[in-house]
Amino acid sequence: MREATPRTIRREDYTPPPYFVEHADLGFELGDPVTRVEARLTLRRNPALPPGPLVLDGQELGLKRVAVDGRELAPHEYTLTEDHLDLGILPERCTVETSVEIRPGENTSLEGLYLSSGNFCTQCEAEGFRKITFYPDRPDVMARFSTTLSADPARYPVLLSNGNPVARGELPDGRHFVTWEDPFPKPCYLFALVAGNLVSLEDTFTTAGGREVKLEIWVEPRNAEKCGHAMHSLKQAMAWDERVFGREYDLDIYMIVAVDDFNMGAMENKGLNVFNSKYVLAQPETATDEDYEGIEAVIAHEYFHNWSGNRVTCRDWFQLSLKEGFTVFRDQQFTADMTSRAVKRIKDVNLLRTFQFREDGGPLAHPVRPDAYQEINNFYTLTVYEKGAEVVRMLHTLLGPEGFRRGTDRYFERFDGQAVTCDDFVQALEEATGRDLSRFRRWYSQAGTPVLGVSGHHDPRARTYTLTVTQHTPPTPGQPDKLPLHIPFALGLVGPDGVDLPLRLAGEAEAVAGTRVLELTEAEHAFVFEAIGTTPVPSLLRGYSAPVRLRYDYSDAELAFLMAHDTDEFNRWDAGQRLAERVITRLMADYRDGRPLRLDEGLLAAYRKLLEDPGADRRLLAQALMLPSEAYLAEQSDAIDPEAIHNAREFLRHALAQELRPILLESYHAHRDPDYRVSPEAIGRRRLKNVCLGYLMALHDETIQALCMTQYREADNMTDAMAALAALAQVDIPGRIEALAHFHGRWRDDPLVMDKWLALQATSSLPGTLEEVKRLTRHPAFNLRNPNKVRALIGAFASGNPVRFHDPSGAGYLFLADRVLELDPLNPQVAARLLTPLTQWRRYEPGRRALMAGELKRVLATPQLSKDVYEIASKALGEGS
Ligand code: B3K
Ligand code: ZN
């Protein structure tokens, strides 16, 4: 808990570590309530610095003994504070031994060593290791670890840690032990241990170099049958990383453990990943197609960290995107190869434009490489992850696949076993390709979303087409003035027949057919294309080649044209989104000004065309039929009125469903398959069918409701059951209550499925939802100590139900702030995350704005706030540093 204003840590203050740890020899006597941790650290003073004291990090540790080179220190020989153990200046080489007692059963923060379902597990990133033992808890101290775990064999038959097992046996007191050795030096944030009653699914993978690796997925016995998909995903990821990045796995064993209580998705601890069970467990009856995809992506992400993060790690936490942005880019490419490239891109861009843009335009905006933080856990953000991945993607676009691969090869080779910076990464790419990326580096240091203003002019006499492109990045907290960035700008010019025109810039000898990538480096450019006889429609920022807001004044007809003809699948989808957004915005204005609402004929025709001519990729079609989300529409508004957005969007959904009813029904039936299968095609068919069902349910028609009930009852897989139940949850009919009760009765013992049940109710737009959510906080399926439950009920309500959360009375805000304050003493990390929706208060219309700010102020005025929540609330109010 915080005493005064938390200290701000700044990137510019970085200094190298005064001592290195060569070897960390750890012993755990695991027990509940008390676990004893013995650490023997072999230290070497950093010869590059003048001699200074050894200050070890440590929090909530009961120190029993400390010795240097075998001699126990008396209390006057060291200084012990709440966070540190200062041993003064030590010899150039020495060993430090400590013995501490900790209480994992009381650890509700889920950081450090804690219990989940009675099993021991750890989470050390970013700074959890200091809650386990005294240590220089910083990523640029890389040590070889040996770990001996001992415990009661009846309660904790399985004892796991990083590396390879090298010894095991019985102890005289009846406990058993296992010793693990990790030959690769690593920072302590990658340390892990797991102990408990677990069973494993085993398999092997033979690397390209011919080494056989044991693969093990450890779960509680009740989940033994649910690991097949995770194992399959792991093997796919291992093979892909060899093929695409030339990266092989390095230990003899790779383990994954699933736990129910976890603050985020998963953690890439060396050789021993710990996962939120949500990203491991799946069976067709319990997991949706989206869950399957999520598992494949997160398994791959953590596996890819073995190189991008573990073998080459971060010098300090400001460099977090070095491993996260790069690894997200790697997992995006993997998923694109495993599924549909266009659909994956659309999903990623939706996430970026809806939530990262919101962050980047708000009070918590920060660069991909932040300059300062109070609590590093608050910086595992969409900017560091998703914008960070876009930055790496732009490098991939600028250098081309081969150049990029040469660059990453060089990076891995040159920095293997080291803790480095984002600059080192860019420099490796520069060296491997001879490109100058000096201006590109600004993407790492400059916050805010750039705006590209584009206009086109066709001169039929000169047969030229001139594109004028300006760039401008708005100010963000602490960064009033911005410089131009280096931006890859992919585009095509589409001729009247729907075919891409060959492109030749003035001064060039040859025309290039199809997409070309221009490079923007200045505040303004004019590109003159020659031999352009007819007026084209420009298809700009193809594939979403840069994380920017694009402004180009398209007519409705041009958007409909691109929606039908653009060869770039992403831009075809994007044109449809722009058109729908525009229609919804007009509806909102009509509603506000008291004009009657009418369905836009152009949009109707475009949607009809999509359904009549479905194309090969059903998932892409399903995506194209989905209207922009309320959250996305809010992000485009100036003074957000969530109710107006909801009503306009619902009007449009209803009107489209009414006009398209026959073809939607036809498509629904045509895409129902007798057997459940898992293939990209089958998944696409399910998706399209369920999108059609969603539209049809907007009609509030009894026949359709009966159809939906039938789908729910007859579903042999969770995708179809959830799609039906989600639609039912939005309508006030007896079938809703019946289906929700049935679902609860069937799945009450499966926590992950109960999360879905909670989230469905929390995101219902029915008027009584807030009361329902309050009631559910007292339901046995809910538990404030479990992050999945908190996210499923409270998080889903606050982030996924704009119209009810933003009730004009402010009741939603009051409820959220109360829950944040209740959770903060237990789990500050999750409490701080939960507060995010309120941080956007300035974006709302005046009434809501005041109410949101009021709740933030109430939170901030609460004594004993964690620094996690303090930092978010104070910065949101503009009172932070
Ligand atoms: N590296 C972890 C995130 C740790 C978050 C700590 N607050 C998972 C990941 O990104 O792979
Ligand atoms: Zn990661």
Side-chain angles (χ1 to χ4, degrees), residues 95-307:
T95 58
V96 168
E97 293 162 83
T98 58
S99 176
V100 302
E101 281 183 0
I102 52 179
R103 297 182 162 264
E106 292 170 16
N107 182 352
T108 58
S109 70
L110 313 187
E111 207 187 25
L113 180 66
Y114 65 94
L115 289 168
S116 178
S117 312
N119 298 321
F120 287 100
C121 66
T122 53
Q123 171 56 36
C124 294
E125 187 178 359
E127 299 179 332
F129 194 69
R130 63 188 61 187
K131 294 171 86 176
I132 294 176
T133 189
F134 287 104
Y135 200 82
D137 189 357
R138 44 186 290 168
D140 57 352
V141 171
M142 298 174 81
R144 287 193 178 76
F145 280 70
S146 317
T147 307
T148 299
L149 308 175
S150 64
D152 170 3
R155 285 184 64 185
Y156 310 106
V158 175
L159 302 173
L160 311 174
S161 190
N162 318 87
N164 302 310
V166 294
R168 64 177 72 231
E170 307 292 324
L171 295 171
D173 63 359
R175 300 160 67 84
H176 73 145
F177 76 92
V178 181
T179 301
W180 292 83
E181 245 173 51
D182 183 354
F184 294 95
K186 64 166 177 288
C188 64
Y189 83 83
L190 291 173
F191 170 83
L193 76 78
V194 170
N197 180 20
L198 300 164
V199 295
S200 70
L201 174 68
E202 300 190 5
D203 207 328
T204 58
F205 179 84
T206 307
T207 66
R211 274 186 331 100
E212 188 166 288
V213 181
K214 243 167 88 175
L215 310 178
E216 299 179 348
I217 299 183
W218 292 92
V219 295
E220 290 176 45
R222 65 187 161 97
N223 293 323
E225 304 306 313
K226 297 186 182 165
C227 306
H229 178 64
M231 184 61 89
H232 176 72
S233 304
L234 175 59
K235 293 184 354 192
Q236 298 275 83
M238 294 178 87
W240 186 91
D241 212 17
E242 291 184 348
R243 207 165 60 239
V244 180
F245 278 88
R247 298 294 114 202
E248 270 186 38
Y249 187 61
D250 48 11
L251 287 164
D252 301 335
I253 178 167
Y254 190 85
M255 296 171 285
I256 289 172
V257 183
V259 301
D260 283 345
D261 303 274
F262 207 65
N263 279 348
M264 62 273 168
M267 178 63 211
E268 69 265 23
N269 316 300
K270 183 77 185 186
L272 177 59
N273 289 185
V274 179
F275 268 64
N276 187 326
S277 53
K278 174 178 165 61
Y279 292 110
V280 175
L281 308 177
Q283 271 175 331
E285 307 80 60
T286 61
T288 62
D289 293 334
E290 293 225 317
D291 294 329
Y292 272 77
E293 242 174 67
I295 290 169
E296 186 179 65
V298 178
I299 294 264
H301 178 98
E302 307 310 332
Y303 174 72
F304 297 156
H305 267 315
N306 190 54
W307 275 97

Side-chain angles (χ1 to χ4, degrees), residues 125 266 268 301-302 305 308 323-325 327-328 331 380 385:
E125 187 178 359
E268 69 265 23
H301 178 98
E302 307 310 332
H305 267 315
S308 48
K323 74 176 178 82
E324 295 305 346
T327 304
V328 171
D331 85 52
Y380 287 74
Y385 275 67

Side-chain angles (χ1 to χ4, degrees), residues 836-851:
T836 314
L838 286 178
T839 64
Q840 291 294 318
W841 63 281
R842 275 201 187 86
R843 300 284 311 274
Y844 286 79
E845 51 75 32
R848 290 177 172 90
R849 191 187 305 165
L851 291 164

Side-chain angles (χ1 to χ4, degrees), residues 344-360:
K344 175 62 177 158
R345 189 69 188 129
I346 289 167
K347 286 188 175 170
D348 291 335
V349 173
N350 253 337
L351 177 68
L352 187 88
R353 292 203 296 210
T354 307
F355 297 107
Q356 195 279 327
F357 279 19
R358 172 166 104 175
E359 180 172 278
D360 223 355

